[in-house]
Amino acid sequence: MAPSSEFPMLIDGSLVAGAASMPVVNPATGQVFTEAPDASAEQLDLVITAAKRAFPAWSERPIAERQGLLIKAAEAITAHTDELTALLTREQGKPLAAATAEIQASLGWFHYFAQMTPPVLVSEDSETRRVETRYVPLGVVCAISPWNFPVMLSCWKIVPALLAGNTVVLKPSPFTPLTMLRIGALLKDVFPAGVLNIITGGDTLGPKMTAHPGFAKISFTGSTATGKLVMQSASETMKRITLELGGNDAAIIMPDIDLDAVALKIFMGAFYNSAQVCTATKRLYVHEAIYDALRDRFVALAQAMKLGDGAEEGTVFGPIQNERQYRRVKALIEEARQQGLTIIEGPQGPQGGGYFVPITIVDNPPDDARVVTEEAFGPVLPLLKFSNVDDAIRRANASEFGLAGAVWSRDVHKAVEIASRLETGTVWINENLYLPPTAPFAGHKQSGLGVENGMDGLLQYMDPKTIYIPKAA
Ligand code: NAD
């Protein structure tokens, strides 16, 4: 497609059209509604050159000034919340309320990191010397984000990277490029030229970025399969990497729960954002004493909630974000049907070309069914019966993933004991999906490498540098 400039990229402080364009689809209709830039290899070289040029001055700027500019950036975004919300719903599919929640949650990252300062660690302070470890920024950071939370997961990266003193080139997903491009335009005059850059492009742009020697670090959120390619590609020049990858999160539901109080919360922990959440509950282990009651509640909840266009009033669940993922999820459900598993579906949603998949519950499938062993990343949830909690923990841990998990019980002491035995980087007790900027978030096993958020997350954008300072001559 010929270049279009409705949603330009931010390169070196200027708004720039792509060398070519790529279509952007509204997942509620399946129709192309606009275009986004498709950056060329030359534009990638240009943006990295600009970010490198901007690095020395930005990294030497007093941290109080970098903090102040993060607050200014948050103010610029806040002033356009309604516009950004509508755009996010249109390209991603999520209901307007969820899009607003995503924009507002993202602002929390700016406010949190704007009051952070990296520490100086003193490991020795003797008569002869002081040994001081400071943290220094890395250079140009490559940030790559997925399509499920295009704004929030981009902010998880760009905000701490900038505060640390790095310059950044962000590439949002080609499926959801627009809201971050628009945010780039809003921030054009907030940061000095070249400090924050946002480029978009098709399938070949990501690999070109991760292979580019100009980047010092890659911060990637996406699938485990792509994460492995990123890791390989980073090794060539020893780029630092943070990988936030897939999960197949288990929740363990103990028999003492108050079903009236928690059924909806457990349900939304699995299906929020049409289950396109890295830390959604994707396997639900339910004690046999309450299994039937919980399943019946889930069926009633699935029937009661509107599946539709996120832009319409009353929609609780939007479409799957893109056709590729839609086909994948449909195939997974079809395979379960072919296997003779019991499948219970909620309303079908609009029939007109949008990527709608009904809320789908699979009633106690075997542990080796693909719907149990694979991350669906769509609204299909296996309910799995257990009688012995040790067995439930063993089954929950029988996964190559280790992103998050949840335990639901009125006995919090017992729940903490179960939580400590789950092989994941995050465990919630009697809640779900709470992810504040303050707490380190790390995938265990093949769910990732490194940490986002909290002080640990900030330090992922810095290298330690130890200086041995003599005391007396
Ligand atoms: P994806 O891996 O297909 O794409 C993610 C991003 O990587 C996109 O911007 C894409 O353009 C880019 N990309 C694709 N191929 C690349 C390559 N070879 N080199 C470099 N970049 C490349 O993932 P997706 O389909 O966008 O997202 C869904 C997946 O992301 C799910 O598995 C989900 O669990 C995971 N996810 C994880 C987290 C987390 O924090 N752990 C959060 C959200 C989503």
Side-chain angles (χ1 to χ4, degrees):
M1 276 192 196
S4 147
S5 54
E6 193 192 355
F7 292 98
M9 302 186 284
L10 177 60
I11 299 180
D12 199 14
S14 296
L15 298 179
V16 178
S21 290
M22 55 184 190
V24 184
V25 171
N26 177 344
T29 62
Q31 300 296 314
V32 174
F33 70 97
T34 190
E35 292 165 0
D38 188 357
S40 62
E42 291 71 31
Q43 287 181 311
L44 176 60
D45 284 338
L46 271 178
V47 77
I48 295 173
T49 304
K52 270 188 162 171
R53 196 169 46 234
F55 174 69
W58 179 249
S59 60
E60 283 163 21
R61 225 165 147 155
I63 192 154
E65 290 185 22
R66 297 203 298 264
Q67 291 168 335
L69 290 181
L70 288 181
I71 295 295
K72 269 184 85 174
E75 287 166 359
I77 296 170
T78 305
H80 290 81
T81 302
D82 290 349
E83 175 202 343
L84 294 169
T85 295
L87 187 58
L88 181 55
T89 289
R90 202 158 182 212
E91 68 170 340
Q92 205 285 333
K94 64 183 66 190
L96 287 167
T100 308
E102 179 174 345
I103 304 285
Q104 283 172 347
S106 305
L107 292 168
W109 263 254
F110 288 86
H111 290 289
Y112 169 68
F113 281 105
Q115 45 84 46
M116 296 280 274
T117 304
V120 175
L121 305 177
V122 178
S123 50
E124 181 180 330
D125 197 6
S126 62
E127 280 180 10
T128 45
R129 71 177 71 77
R130 179 179 161 89
V131 181
E132 221 178 74
T133 302
R134 303 173 189 173
Y135 288 86
V136 295
L138 304 169
V140 185
V141 169
C142 165
I144 298 181
S145 54
W147 44 258
N148 58 340
F149 289 89
V151 177
M152 193 168 83
L153 296 176
S154 297
C155 291
W156 281 26
K157 302 181 182 314
I158 61 180
V159 175
L162 291 173
L163 190 263
N166 303 283
T167 55
V168 175
V169 181
L170 167 72
K171 188 197 81 63
S173 167
F175 294 116
T176 52
L178 303 178
T179 317
M180 283 314 298
L181 285 170
R182 182 68 190 120
I183 287 176
L186 295 172
L187 302 186
K188 177 172 99 64
D189 298 319
V190 172
F191 298 105
V195 168
L196 172 65
N197 306 274
I198 301 181
I199 62 170
T200 52
D203 286 346
T204 58
L205 184 58
K208 280 187 201 138
M209 290 175 82
T210 58
H212 202 293
F215 287 114
K217 156 131 196 160
I218 301 165
S219 181
F220 171 85
T221 299
S223 61
T224 295
T226 311
K228 289 177 185 177
L229 297 175
V230 171
M231 199 170 175
Q232 270 175 10
S233 160
S235 71
E236 190 64 33
T237 54
M238 207 68 84
K239 295 181 183 80
R240 278 76 183 117
I241 48 174
T242 300
L243 304 174
E244 295 291 357
L245 308 176
N248 196 8
D249 296 2
I252 295 179
I253 316 297
M254 298 299 281
D256 64 350
I257 57 161
D258 176 352
L259 208 49
D260 289 336
V262 300
L264 177 61
K265 291 181 189 162
I266 301 173
F267 182 86
M268 291 310 281
F271 292 113
Y272 184 72
N273 208 38
S274 296
Q276 301 163 113
V277 182
C278 53
T279 54
T281 295
K282 290 165 186 155
R283 295 174 289 151
L284 196 71
Y285 293 93
V286 186
H287 192 274
E288 59 185 359
I290 52 161
Y291 182 91
D292 289 355
L294 183 135
R295 182 199 52 214
D296 295 349
R297 292 290 177 110
F298 267 41
V299 171
L301 286 167
Q303 291 301 335
M305 293 192 188
K306 181 178 164 187
L307 171 65
D309 185 336
E312 278 173 18
E313 193 73 24
T315 295
V316 181
F317 298 117
I320 294 294
Q321 197 283 321
N322 60 73
E323 190 180 2
R324 188 183 69 189
Q325 184 64 9
Y326 169 75
R327 294 195 183 288
R328 222 197 121 243
V329 176
K330 292 286 271 189
L332 201 58
I333 296 171
E334 194 42 44
E335 184 180 309
R337 211 186 297 282
Q338 297 290 330
Q339 285 175 325
L341 303 178
T342 305
I343 292 168
I344 306 157
E345 286 181 344
Q348 295 296 312
Q351 304 294 304
Y355 308 136
F356 293 99
V357 176
I359 298 291
T360 304
I361 291 158
V362 187
D363 189 1
N364 204 25
D367 283 357
D368 63 356
R370 206 154 69 90
V371 75
V372 180
T373 58
E374 275 190 25
E375 174 188 41
F377 218 61
V380 46
L381 178 73
L383 304 191
L384 301 140
K385 203 181 284 189
F386 76 87
S387 51
N388 173 302
V389 71
D390 291 330
D391 189 45
I393 295 169
R394 182 191 56 74
R395 292 161 74 193
N397 286 338
S399 169
E400 71 208 23
F401 295 113
L403 195 58
V407 185
W408 294 78
S409 171
R410 274 197 262 204
D411 182 346
V412 172
H413 186 76
K414 175 75 181 162
V416 171
E417 195 243 313
I418 296 168
S420 66
R421 293 170 63 195
L422 290 178
E423 296 167 357
T424 60
T426 296
V427 191
W428 288 286
I429 295 171
N430 298 337
E431 64 176 334
N432 246 324
L433 306 183
Y434 174 60
L435 285 167
T438 46
F441 176 70
H444 290 191
K445 302 196 229 177
Q446 292 191 35
S447 285
L449 200 65
V451 184
E452 292 200 285
N453 307 334
M455 181 58 86
D456 291 16
L458 174 61
L459 296 183
Q460 297 261 308
Y461 292 99
M462 311 190 89
D463 268 341
K465 174 171 181 170
T466 301
I467 305 181
Y468 292 79
I469 308 163
K471 282 283 178 63

